[in-house]
Amino acid sequence: MVRPQLGHMDPDLMPMLEETSALLRRVFQTANELAFPISGTGTAGMEACLVNTLEPGDRIVVAVSGFFAQRIAEVAARAGADVEVVEAPWGQAVDPADLARTLGRRRAKVLAATHVETSTGVLQPVQEFAAIAQEHGALLLVDAVASLGGVDLPVDQWGIDICYSGSQKCLSAPPGMAPVTANDRVRRLPRAHPVRSYYLDLTLLWQYWGHPHAYHHTVPVAFVFAIHEALRLTVEEGLPARFARHALNASALGAGLEALGLRLFAPAPLRAPSVVTVEVPVGVDEARVRERLLTDHGIEIAGGLGPLRGRIWRVGLMGHSSQDRLVLLLLTALETALASEGFRFEPGAGMAAASRVLAASSAA
Ligand SMILES: *Cc1c(COP(=O)(O)O)cnc(C)c1O
């Protein structure tokens, strides 16, 4: 990011735009031509994908079991869509059978879901959602903000039509860019009206990122440098190695937390590899624990969102922060913080359990 800036129309920048698209195709595991980062955070990617697929009055079914899927429904409603929400309790995945029933009752243009629901730590069965969308002739729109580059999401193989992410989660670039990809089914949708958002019109944006590199808006060039480098590092490590690293560190942390006598929030088969959620034990001040971790140990974890405020902690193990030594560091720091809250546990048990998981994998 501190490289000397290039102008947004400088011919020397163009190869970097093209490389960024090529790297993104690899990370999205897609042959889609359209793949580039929107100037903006994950929510800009969300809004772009919704306003480019939906026109006012179009029907969308949103699978909601957490904060970010709720946001999808809210953005779709503001875009004038006819929104139907299919819900599951927060901490569960939405039941594919419920989606099939809803789409069977009345056709929808789009089915939308989060892959990793960051508010609950739940990994949703997107592959099953894809089969249902195909069966009912709906486009599948997936939020991969908390999974791209950390959790396997083969866009083409699973039949995902349009997908967005964010630069600051499993890609570990600074916040400010939102990778998107869309297939030809999306790009060839007939439209009665131009896309409502000029800034987020994928067809216009692709004229800049792809050929002929025509001016649309001034891209934040330092952020392009950053995401280009983050994608290069992602591909250099390799997707399978990255997915395995995220899965291992999340299971080591989960084992460590359970060994301290804490209860994980997301049920075992649905636990996301990129965010671990754990219940706050009775009698413990959750905000004070987070503050202690931050001020005494330099570790930031998150509290619960919406109805889970005060009830859970959320630990992001995303991209560069998914490291075995950070898992062990957090468990040590957490022991100190929990002890000062008067919470009783077997000292050292968390570290020992996490180390066993890590050692078993390196022996394998
Ligand atoms: C973080 C996140 C978003 C929002 O991204 P911003 O970068 O904060 O705009 C959307 N969806 C999911 C699943 C997320 O984790």
Side-chain angles (χ1 to χ4, degrees), residues 283-285 288-293 296-297 332-345:
V284 168
D285 183 328
R288 200 159 53 204
V289 168
R290 281 190 290 121
E291 192 192 300
R292 223 174 242 283
L293 290 175
D296 297 352
H297 304 276
T332 315
L334 195 58
E335 281 203 7
T336 315
L338 286 173
S340 63
E341 290 289 317
F343 181 73
R344 305 278 288 267
F345 55 88

Side-chain angles (χ1 to χ4, degrees), residues 229-305:
E229 181 63 6
L231 290 168
R232 209 187 55 70
L233 291 170
T234 301
V235 166
E236 183 180 82
E237 180 178 359
L239 293 181
R242 241 177 131 83
F243 301 153
R245 173 165 64 84
H246 281 77
L248 176 64
N249 290 326
S251 67
L253 179 58
L257 294 169
E258 285 185 321
L260 291 177
L262 299 173
R263 278 176 52 126
L264 297 183
F265 178 67
L270 301 175
R271 284 176 197 155
S274 49
V275 54
V276 173
T277 49
V278 58
E279 293 178 13
V280 177
V282 181
V284 168
D285 183 328
E286 77 85 18
R288 200 159 53 204
V289 168
R290 281 190 290 121
E291 192 192 300
R292 223 174 242 283
L293 290 175
L294 187 58
T295 53
D296 297 352
H297 304 276
I299 300 172
E300 186 184 16
I301 67 168
L305 289 170

Side-chain angles (χ1 to χ4, degrees), residues 41-43 68 116 118 143 145-146 168-169:
T41 65
T43 307
F68 289 105
V116 167
T118 325
D143 175 322
V145 177
Q168 79 276 25
K169 305 260 171 100

